[in-house]
Amino acid sequence: MHKTVVPRKSGVHRFACLALYRALLRQCAKLPNTAPELSSCKPLIQQKFQRYKKLQSPSQAVNALKAGYEALDLLHSASQGNQRNTNRIVELMSEIQSIKQRESALQRELSKKEPKPLSRKQQKTNESRRLQDQTARRHPDATSILSRPRPVVSGKRRVPVLVNARGVPFLRIKKPQPKNLSGVIRLDRELLFANDEDNWDALTTGSEPDTWAEGVKDALGTLNQQIHDSDKKNIELAEAMWNIVLAERKLAAEEEKQKSTEKPSDT
C-alpha cells in the first residue's frame, strides 16, 4: 500500500524549503536600489513562507516550490543587472500592492454597511436585559406594589404571582423576573459551584486555606442575617401581597364575567 507522506513532516522537504528560503533572501539583498518596489520583495517572501509552511497537500507543496524556484531565477537575473527582469519584478510588486489596496478598500466598505438586523431571539434577550436593568433600582416616582389592585386596567388584567426567594416575598407581574430576585436565587447556584471547586481542589492539590465557597458563604450569611432581621416585615408584606393576588383574581373574574355577558348584546 502506498504510504502517504505529509510534506511538512518530511526532513528532506523541510531542508529543501529552508534552502530555497535562504537563497531567496540572499538574492533580495543583492537587488539594485533603482526602484522602491524592490525593497518589498524580502517582506513578501517572508510572508508567503509563513503562510504556506503548513501545507499538507503534496500537489500544493509542489506548486509552491515551483513558484519559489521561478522567483529565485528571476531575482538572480535581476541582481546580475538584467533590466528586463528587474522591470518585471517592479511590475509584479506594483500589481500585488494594487490588489492589497483594493482588498483593504473593500473591507472598509463592508465595515461601513448597516449592521445585521437582530433576530427575534436576540431582540427578546435584549428586551429582557433592559427590563431587568430597570427593575434593579426602584424609581423614586414608582407606585408602590401594595397600591394594587388597580380599579381599571387597559386590556386583559394580569393577575400577579406571589413567589418566595429564601423567605423574601415578591409579586411577579410578568416575565422576566426582577433583577433583585435573580440575584438572590443566583447565590444558591454559586454556592453549589463553589463547593464543587473546593472538592476538586481537595482531590488534586489538597486542602486550601482559602476556599471557593468561603466568599459565597459569607455573602449568604450576610443575606440570611438581613432576611432574619426582616422576617416579621416580610410576613406582613407577604400577607399584604397575597391579599392583592386575591383581589386581582376577584376583579379579573368579575371583568371576565362582565365581558361574557356583554357579548350577546353586541351581536
Side-chain angles (χ1 to χ4, degrees):
M1 184 176 179
H2 181 68
K3 183 179 179 180
T4 303
V5 178
V6 180
R8 66 187 182 90
K9 293 184 178 181
S10 170
V12 176
H13 173 75
R14 290 167 61 88
F15 179 81
C17 292
L18 185 59
L20 175 61
Y21 178 66
R22 290 176 176 175
L24 287 169
L25 295 184
R26 282 196 298 267
Q27 294 302 322
C28 288
K30 298 178 182 179
L31 289 174
N33 298 326
T34 56
E37 290 83 0
L38 297 176
S39 60
S40 302
C41 291
K42 182 178 179 179
L44 179 63
I45 291 172
Q46 292 172 331
Q47 178 186 358
K48 293 297 184 181
F49 267 81
Q50 185 69 21
R51 179 180 178 182
Y52 296 134
K53 69 178 182 179
K54 293 185 179 181
L55 284 180
Q56 297 188 19
S57 170
S59 60
Q60 291 180 348
V62 169
N63 292 334
L65 286 172
K66 182 179 179 180
Y69 287 121
E70 291 177 356
L72 180 61
D73 293 338
L74 189 63
L75 290 171
H76 176 72
S77 177
S79 64
Q80 297 298 317
N82 189 316
Q83 189 61 37
R84 179 181 177 184
N85 288 336
T86 301
N87 294 336
R88 176 58 179 162
I89 294 175
V90 172
E91 292 176 1
L92 290 174
M93 297 304 300
S94 299
E95 291 178 4
I96 293 173
Q97 291 295 332
S98 178
I99 293 173
K100 287 184 177 180
Q101 291 175 359
R102 287 198 299 269
E103 290 179 350
S104 299
L106 179 60
Q107 290 295 330
R108 287 194 297 269
E109 289 296 327
L110 292 175
S111 62
K112 292 179 182 178
K113 289 186 176 180
E114 295 182 359
K116 185 179 179 181
L118 297 177
S119 63
R120 294 182 61 183
K121 183 178 180 180
Q122 290 173 329
Q123 292 176 0
K124 188 175 181 180
T125 301
N126 293 342
E127 180 66 15
S128 175
R129 290 175 180 172
R130 185 183 66 82
L131 290 175
Q132 288 206 4
D133 290 338
Q134 288 180 352
T135 58
R137 293 183 180 180
R138 181 178 176 180
H139 193 275
D141 298 332
T143 305
S144 173
I145 191 67
L146 298 179
S147 64
R148 291 175 179 268
R150 297 172 181 172
V152 180
V153 295
S154 58
K156 186 177 180 180
R157 181 179 294 273
R158 293 180 179 271
V159 178
V161 179
L162 180 61
V163 295
N164 171 44
R166 298 189 63 83
V168 181
F170 289 89
L171 272 185
R172 192 179 68 193
I173 309 300
K174 61 179 180 178
K175 293 183 178 181
Q177 63 190 10
K179 191 172 183 178
N180 47 8
L181 173 59
S182 301
V184 174
I185 297 175
R186 193 178 300 115
L187 276 176
D188 284 333
R189 297 176 182 173
E190 290 181 357
L191 181 58
L192 294 176
F193 290 128
N195 287 329
D196 290 339
E197 292 290 344
D198 290 336
N199 292 334
W200 175 253
D201 288 343
L203 291 173
T204 55
T205 61
S207 59
E208 295 286 341
D210 297 327
T211 62
W212 293 86
E214 185 176 349
V216 181
K217 287 180 179 178
D218 291 342
L220 274 176
T222 303
L223 181 61
N224 286 331
Q225 184 62 39
Q226 293 174 353
I227 293 174
H228 177 74
D229 295 339
S230 60
D231 272 348
K232 183 177 180 180
K233 180 180 178 181
N234 289 337
I235 292 174
E236 295 174 354
L237 182 61
E239 291 177 352
M241 288 182 173
W242 180 242
N243 291 331
I244 291 174
V245 173
L246 295 178
E248 290 277 10
R249 288 179 180 176
K250 182 179 179 181
L251 288 175
E254 292 176 355
E255 291 172 359
E256 190 68 25
K257 183 178 180 180
Q258 183 178 0
K259 288 181 181 179
S260 60
T261 56
E262 291 177 353
K263 284 183 179 179
S265 61
D266 295 338
T267 56

